[in-house]
């Protein structure tokens, strides 16, 4: 499947890296890779047309910290995304160095956590994942942090520009071995939160529709209390129109949780997929544009795995150059960084040894594709929006990524492969506020930007 194109990374030293996110760092409308450096500078990689170049602003490099996780979203409704960077100097519980929350204004990046008014709410617990969350559908996000050995947090700005941790008010401030998190319209039309935990049951917080949440993992069949969760991926694994969850468990049996009508989940992972491994990031995406998503397992110190649906069954398939049997994978993310209609896969390495980044994509083919890039009412990437495509007698569904399970965040685009189908019936975008927009018969092999119907000037 994958071809190694790491040669496209112009400067690529061996170092300790962790989480990877995809966002528009420089505001030019194109995406860059953001890679968290652990004891090394954070790195921003930009596609120049022929290669990926390091273009990291000095403030974001932040070489004095130990970064592991990263995510972006529009915290203040200005149309630009802020960047949350998880730093850690301890395995669990209390840490010395707080996280960063960078806001770009007047040409400079400023850490909001460095402001004296925010000292009382610094996250001084060893966080493991961070995601963007539009809990009430107004296009203004918060950052939800899954902490290990301390209370989870949800940071939002008030109208005066002050940060608050509102997790205690919403009942989200549970303490556990928090490892991973995703947000999506899973069982409700709003943004529900699934949290994968280590040393205890997972959490599923249903959005009540009034900005609050109710925890229902046990009754939904997702608690899995004896496993140690890591990467999580979202997809419709059996084409029934409902979202399912792939949950990688550290040195434990991996799960493919298929949703039944009524909100109950059952594990249908075949033996090859369930087989334990030292898993980190899990990604669901259509890498070869054949119209069906593949599932990628990034492992540390063990070969990576790739699964695809063949004749209605999930099977392990040839992963090609991305096998990386000696790779120390710590994070991975996808983006069509060069705008050719194929997704690139960037893998970061580290933890037990320094290694360079690796970059892969599938071989070129004649398969068609479509990319939908929705925006919020404020003009920012609409993370959490639901995009449905109808073509060839079936529906495909994607959620624009809020944060992908463990340490990472994918591009804020719904990417669809179409195989040999060259006619699309319609595409519907549904925002977290319930607003919808339908494109009838869009052409294939293009990226379409979709503005919110009530976008504010």
């Amino acid at each position: 499947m994958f071809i190694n194109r790491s040669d496209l990374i112009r400067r690529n030293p061996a170092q300790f890296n962790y989480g990877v996110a995809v966002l528009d760092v420089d505001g030019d409308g194109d995406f860059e890779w953001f890679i968290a450096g652990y004891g090394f500078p954070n790195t921003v990689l930009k596609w120049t047309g022929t290669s990926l170049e390091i273009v990291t602003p000095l403030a974001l490099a932040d070489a004095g910290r130990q970064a592991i996780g990263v995510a972006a979203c529009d915290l203040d409704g200005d149309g630009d995304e802020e960047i949350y960077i998880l730093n850690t100097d301890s395995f669990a519980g209390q840490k010395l160095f707080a996280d960063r929350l960078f806001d770009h204004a007047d040409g400079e990046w400023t850490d909001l956590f460095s402001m004296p008014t925010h000292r009382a709410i610094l996250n001084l617990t060893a966080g493991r994942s961070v995601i963007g969350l539009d809990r009430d559908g107004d296009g203004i996000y918060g950052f939800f942090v899954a902490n290990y050995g301390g209370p989870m947090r949800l940071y939002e700005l008030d109208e005066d520009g002050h940060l608050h941790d509102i997790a205690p008010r919403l009942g989200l401030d549970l303490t556990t071995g928090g490892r991973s998190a995703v947000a999506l319209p899973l069982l409700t039309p709003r943004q529900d939160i699934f949290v994968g935990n280590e040393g205890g049951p997972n959490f599923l917080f249903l959005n009540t529709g009034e900005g609050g949440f109710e925890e229902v993992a046990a009754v939904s069949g997702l608690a899995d209390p004896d496993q140690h969760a890591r990467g999580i991926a979202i997809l419709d694994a059996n084409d029934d129109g409902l979202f399912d969850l792939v949950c990688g468990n550290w040195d434990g049996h991996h799960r493919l949780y298929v949703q039944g009508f009524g909100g109950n989940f059952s594990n249908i992972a075949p033996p090859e997929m369930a087989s334990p491994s030292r898993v980190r990031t899990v990604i669901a995406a259509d890498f070869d544009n054949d119209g069906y998503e593949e599932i990628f397992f990034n492992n540390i110190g063990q070969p990576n795995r790739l699964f695809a649906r063949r004749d209605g069954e999930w099977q392990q398939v040839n992963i090609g150059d991305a096998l990386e049997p000696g790779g120390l994978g710590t994070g991975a993310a996808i983006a069509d960084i060069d705008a050719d209609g194929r997704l690139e896969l960037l893998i970061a390495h580290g933890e037990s040894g320094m290694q360079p980044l690796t970059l892969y994509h599938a071989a070129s083919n004649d398969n068609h594709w479509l990319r939908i890039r929705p925006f919020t009412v404020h003009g920012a990437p609409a993370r959490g929006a639901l995009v449905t495509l109808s073509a060839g007698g079936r529906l495909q569904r994607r959620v624009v990524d809020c944060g992908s399970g463990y340490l990472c965040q994918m591009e804020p685009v719904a990417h669809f492969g179409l195989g040999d189908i060259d006619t699309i019936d319609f595409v519907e975008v549904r925002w977290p506020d319930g607003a919808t927009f339908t494109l009838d018969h869009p052409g294939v092999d293009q990226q379409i930007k979709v503005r919110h119907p009530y976008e504010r000037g």
Side-chain angles (χ1 to χ4, degrees), residues 17 34 45 71 112 155 269:
N17 290 315
F34 188 107
L45 290 177
L112 299 183
Y155 290 106

Side-chain angles (χ1 to χ4, degrees), residues 220-252:
S220 298
L222 295 173
D224 210 13
D226 298 323
Q227 296 295 332
H228 305 299
R230 291 297 191 274
I232 303 166
I234 301 160
L235 78 164
D236 181 358
N238 55 357
D239 266 354
D240 66 353
L242 301 174
F243 281 117
D244 311 308
L245 299 173
V246 185
C247 187
N249 288 313
W250 177 261
D251 268 342

Side-chain angles (χ1 to χ4, degrees), residues 189-274:
R190 300 280 189 169
Q191 297 295 285
D192 304 324
I193 309 170
F194 177 73
V195 182
N197 296 319
E198 178 173 284
N202 301 323
F203 300 141
L204 175 58
F205 296 102
L206 294 192
N207 194 315
T208 65
E210 299 175 351
F213 295 88
E214 177 186 3
E215 205 287 303
V216 298
V219 297
S220 298
L222 295 173
D224 210 13
D226 298 323
Q227 296 295 332
H228 305 299
R230 291 297 191 274
I232 303 166
I234 301 160
L235 78 164
D236 181 358
N238 55 357
D239 266 354
D240 66 353
L242 301 174
F243 281 117
D244 311 308
L245 299 173
V246 185
C247 187
N249 288 313
W250 177 261
D251 268 342
H253 289 94
H254 309 313
R255 313 298 194 191
L256 175 53
Y257 287 116
V258 171
Q259 183 180 170
F261 291 94
N264 294 314
F265 291 80
S266 56
N267 174 38
I268 65 163
E272 283 184 317
M273 185 183 293

Side-chain angles (χ1 to χ4, degrees), residues 11-193:
R11 290 172 49 222
N12 190 16
Q15 61 185 52
F16 292 108
N17 290 315
Y18 274 89
V20 183
V22 182
L23 66 149
D24 182 5
V25 175
D26 58 11
D28 69 348
D30 297 324
F31 296 129
E32 291 80 43
W33 305 99
F34 188 107
I35 303 100
Y38 187 84
F40 288 84
N42 300 319
T43 301
V44 177
L45 290 177
K46 185 175 186 63
W47 178 250
T48 65
T50 57
S51 63
L52 286 163
E53 303 279 356
I54 296 176
V55 295
T56 318
L58 181 61
L60 297 184
D62 202 21
R65 296 288 173 97
Q66 295 171 322
I68 61 168
V70 58
C73 64
D74 185 8
L75 190 70
D76 53 11
D78 67 352
D80 296 320
E81 293 195 305
E82 283 66 51
I83 306 173
Y84 193 111
I85 302 174
L86 283 170
N87 296 299
T88 191
D89 45 67
S90 64
F91 173 77
Q94 190 171 5
K95 63 185 180 183
L96 295 176
F97 293 103
D99 299 335
R100 299 289 199 189
L101 206 179
F102 286 106
D103 177 39
H104 191 255
D106 300 323
E108 296 184 357
W109 289 97
T110 302
D111 176 23
L112 299 183
F113 281 136
S114 68
M115 299 171 61
T117 55
H118 297 150
R119 287 175 182 166
I121 60 166
L122 294 179
N123 184 37
L124 293 173
T125 302
R128 285 296 181 270
S129 286
V130 56
I131 61 174
L133 177 68
D134 182 3
R135 65 183 176 91
D136 52 10
D138 61 359
I140 298 177
Y141 294 74
F143 283 105
F144 176 86
V145 183
N147 278 328
Y148 195 109
M152 294 183 293
R153 296 180 176 271
L154 176 55
Y155 290 106
E156 292 184 358
L157 282 175
D158 64 19
E159 294 181 354
D160 296 321
H162 296 130
L163 275 174
H164 298 274
D165 173 19
I166 66 168
R169 176 164 64 85
L170 301 178
L172 296 173
D173 60 332
L174 304 183
T175 295
T176 184
R179 281 288 185 178
S180 48
V182 291
L184 73 154
L186 184 63
L187 295 182
T188 77
R190 300 280 189 169
Q191 297 295 285
D192 304 324
I193 309 170

Side-chain angles (χ1 to χ4, degrees), residues 389-435:
L389 179 147
S390 173
R394 59 186 285 259
L395 296 176
Q396 294 192 56
R397 305 170 81 220
R398 305 283 189 271
V399 174
V400 179
D401 191 57
C402 292
S404 294
Y406 188 54
L407 303 178
C408 300
Q409 189 182 54
M410 309 298 139
E411 61 174 358
V413 178
H415 178 96
F416 298 93
L418 295 167
D420 59 3
I421 295 172
D422 59 6
T423 301
I424 298 171
D425 303 322
F426 67 85
V427 172
E428 180 191 80
V429 180
R430 180 177 295 272
W431 284 264
D433 64 356

